Amino acid sequence: MTLTVLILLPLVGALVTAFVPAAVARLVGLGFAAATLVAGIVAATQYETGGGMQLEETHTWIESLGVHYALGVDGLGLLMVLLTVVLVPIVLLAGWHESEAPGNNGARSFFAWTLALEAMSLAVFTATDVLLFYVVFEATLIPAYFLIGGFGRAGRGRAATKFLIYQLAGGLIMLASVIGLYVVSADAGNPSFLISDLAAIDIDETTQRWLFVGFFIAFAIKAPMFPVHTWLADTTEKATTGTSVLLVCILDKIGTFGMLRFCLGLLPDASQWATPVVVVLALISIIYGALVAIGQDDVLRLIGLTSLSHFGFIVLGIFVFSSNGSSGAILYMVNHGIATALMFLVAGFLIHRTGTASIREMGGVEKAAPVLAGFFLVGGLAAAGLPGLSPFVSEMLVIIGAFDHHWLVGSVAVLAIVLAAFYALWMYQRTMTGPDRVGMAPVADLDRREVGILAPLLLALVLFGFYPMPLLDVINPFVHESLASVGIGQEGGPQ
């Protein structure tokens, strides 16, 4: 029941927060988020790092169709659960006042929808029945749509609609593959949506390829990847920074999570068949995302586009089929969530002070607000993969895996590091250094509340930068099992 409680806490919290008096809604919402964090930590203490699906719950849902309410976590699922339960309270604290800004729908609505999104995301990361996964996968779109459309800058309604259209299109394509899996299981004499049952079926290669296409397109939109990425920058530009953290650092991870869980786990032959195309798309995403980010003037749009490049790295690590690449990809999922959350939140505090998201209208901030500038610099250096910060470890593992796959793939990936350093340092130079803005009051530095919000993220970046083994100890058993399912040994070669 541990995982059910974990999902129910934010779901109940969303309902309660939506109906309590507005004066106490924020405290109630934060209380439920904190309780969910505690429940996530309890689940982590019950998990054994040896690998395999654990904390399982299975109950028949629709017996005639073989549908189950089935939950469980392995190393991949556990880390995504922990990332979610850690980031949500931070987002709520950061949006304590922002959600009440003129033009927004109020703190009660923001906190309720955030908790609802947390509940649905946790359900996605723990579902071990394909139909259950699909239902909650689609359900995440409801709170996400209202968070984008109800809070943020002018034009957010259009951004929310564009986001929804892309995601619904991907979900519809995936539904065809979900139904296809059920047909395959029925033909095998055991109609079921359980991942464990489906993994035991020997699916012919042609069928695998068709099913793979449906799943991969949906997950590529969610991640996102080139060329189905155009909703991302519009969304991060118009939504609040807290909403952007929820979308980019949690919700988008469902895309790469799904590639590992379904594409590799259930369709291994098709995954290897599609590898050349996927690797090329990943490399395009890496380089294109970095190049386009360099040319942006809106700081939130810039940060959003850097994530296109980072998700390219994650997908590349998954599809080079090596232990280093896969471990680096999963570690990258965690580190990207931490580093990008820091960047978005600091950018939000900066925009609140300057009244603009335009980089060309900023400048000289580090003189008046050295603490804010310091956090912003660390976030930028983390995005650039500076040694000593956690993204460096995951980036190096992916690059090693890329060179093992092919020297040309590794060379292109290395080029992205140079581009990342350029956009990170150039963004810092244009916003934080130089003369003060003409005719504008000095920017106030971060207060103690804001430093307290950002400090856990900074601590995690440094801690896992120097000592990533607690994460890798959870990741590696899953990676070895995942590679074994596609016939790859621990060193990256065929078994």
Side-chain angles (χ1 to χ4, degrees):
M1 290 295 291
T2 302
L3 297 181
T4 295
V5 171
L6 183 66
I7 295 168
L8 283 177
L9 273 171
L11 187 60
V12 173
L15 293 172
V16 173
T17 303
F19 292 102
V20 297
V24 298
R26 287 181 291 190
L27 289 174
V28 171
L30 182 60
F32 274 99
T36 306
L37 172 59
V38 172
I41 294 172
V42 170
T45 61
Q46 297 175 358
Y47 183 84
E48 298 179 4
T49 57
M53 197 64 69
Q54 300 178 36
L55 305 179
E56 291 184 279
E57 305 173 28
T58 304
H59 307 282
T60 299
W61 183 10
I62 307 174
E63 186 174 2
S64 60
L65 295 177
V67 183
H68 297 78
Y69 171 79
L71 306 176
V73 290
D74 50 19
L76 173 64
L78 179 66
L79 290 181
M80 293 301 97
V81 165
L82 290 176
L83 180 65
T84 302
V85 299
V86 167
L87 288 182
V88 167
I90 292 175
V91 167
L92 293 181
L93 286 169
W96 199 263
H97 301 299
E98 184 181 23
S99 57
E100 293 282 13
N104 287 338
N105 288 349
R108 180 165 56 185
S109 178
F110 180 80
F111 277 54
W113 285 124
T114 297
L115 289 171
L117 183 60
E118 179 181 26
M120 294 302 102
S121 299
L122 291 172
V124 167
F125 293 134
T126 58
T128 56
D129 179 280
V130 177
L131 189 62
L132 175 63
F133 173 89
Y134 176 77
V135 170
V136 291
F137 177 90
E138 293 291 82
T140 59
L141 302 183
I142 300 171
Y145 173 80
F146 285 104
L147 283 168
I148 299 167
F151 305 88
R153 299 155 67 184
R156 61 181 186 258
R158 181 179 179 182
T161 302
K162 186 175 183 179
F163 163 83
L164 189 63
I165 291 172
Y166 268 81
Q167 304 301 324
L168 287 175
L172 184 62
I173 295 171
M174 185 172 74
L175 178 60
S177 290
V178 170
I179 295 172
L181 280 176
Y182 176 77
V183 172
V184 168
S185 70
D187 288 344
N190 181 29
S192 174
F193 282 101
L194 284 174
I195 292 176
S196 56
D197 291 341
L198 295 169
I201 300 174
D202 184 16
I203 306 174
D204 69 86
E205 190 168 342
T206 301
T207 303
Q208 277 198 39
R209 291 178 180 181
W210 282 108
L211 296 175
F212 175 92
V213 169
F215 278 116
F216 183 80
I217 290 175
F219 296 142
I221 292 173
K222 180 71 73 175
M225 290 182 66
F226 177 91
V228 287
H229 66 282
T230 58
W231 63 268
L232 175 65
D234 291 343
T235 302
T236 57
E237 178 185 2
K238 302 301 182 182
T240 66
T241 51
T243 299
S244 294
V245 170
L246 296 173
L247 295 179
V248 177
C249 303
I250 298 175
L251 198 64
D252 289 359
K253 298 296 187 299
I254 295 173
T256 47
F257 173 89
M259 292 178 193
L260 288 160
R261 177 74 76 225
F262 294 96
C263 295
L264 270 64
L266 299 180
L267 310 167
D269 294 337
S271 296
Q272 294 196 64
W273 162 76
T275 291
V277 173
V278 176
V279 167
V280 169
L281 290 176
L283 291 175
I284 293 174
S285 297
I286 292 170
I287 301 301
Y288 176 79
L291 288 174
V292 176
I294 291 171
Q296 299 304 307
D297 178 61
D298 188 290
V299 65
L300 298 180
R301 194 175 182 89
L302 188 156
I303 297 171
L305 286 166
T306 65
S307 291
L308 174 62
S309 183
H310 295 151
F311 275 106
F313 263 108
I314 295 171
V315 175
L316 178 64
I318 294 172
F319 280 88
V320 295
F321 293 110
S322 72
S323 56
N324 284 323
S326 296
S327 295
I330 299 172
L331 186 61
Y332 212 135
M333 291 167 69
V334 177
N335 291 335
H336 169 266
I338 298 169
T340 305
L342 179 64
M343 285 288 288
F344 270 124
L345 295 180
V346 176
F349 295 147
L350 176 62
I351 292 168
H352 176 72
R353 285 161 166 77
T354 60
T356 180
S358 174
I359 294 175
R360 69 166 64 95
E361 296 179 16
M362 299 181 187
V365 174
E366 65 179 7
K367 300 174 185 177
V371 177
L372 187 153
F375 274 107
F376 199 64
L377 179 61
V378 172
L381 293 175
L386 180 75
L389 298 176
S390 57
F392 169 77
V393 182
S394 45
E395 207 164 74
M396 288 302 101
L397 287 172
V398 170
I399 288 175
I400 291 170
F403 273 109
D404 289 341
H405 182 77
H406 195 282
W407 68 267
L408 183 58
V409 173
S411 299
V412 175
V414 168
L415 175 62
I417 297 179
V418 178
L419 294 175
F422 182 79
Y423 67 62
L425 294 176
W426 195 38
M427 176 175 62
Y428 181 85
Q429 181 184 26
R430 290 186 292 164
T431 56
M432 298 294 161
T433 65
D436 296 337
R437 299 176 302 153
V438 178
M440 302 295 289
V443 175
D445 211 345
L446 298 178
D447 59 33
R448 285 180 292 182
R449 180 187 70 89
E450 293 165 332
V451 171
I453 291 169
L454 299 175
L457 299 173
L458 178 62
L459 179 63
L461 286 176
V462 175
L463 175 62
F464 295 129
F466 284 96
Y467 188 58
M469 286 313 298
L471 299 179
L472 290 173
D473 286 342
V474 176
I475 292 170
N476 288 335
F478 169 82
V479 168
H480 297 156
E481 293 173 5
S482 177
L483 291 179
S485 72
V486 293
I488 304 295
Q490 293 186 15
E491 298 305 317
Q495 290 185 321

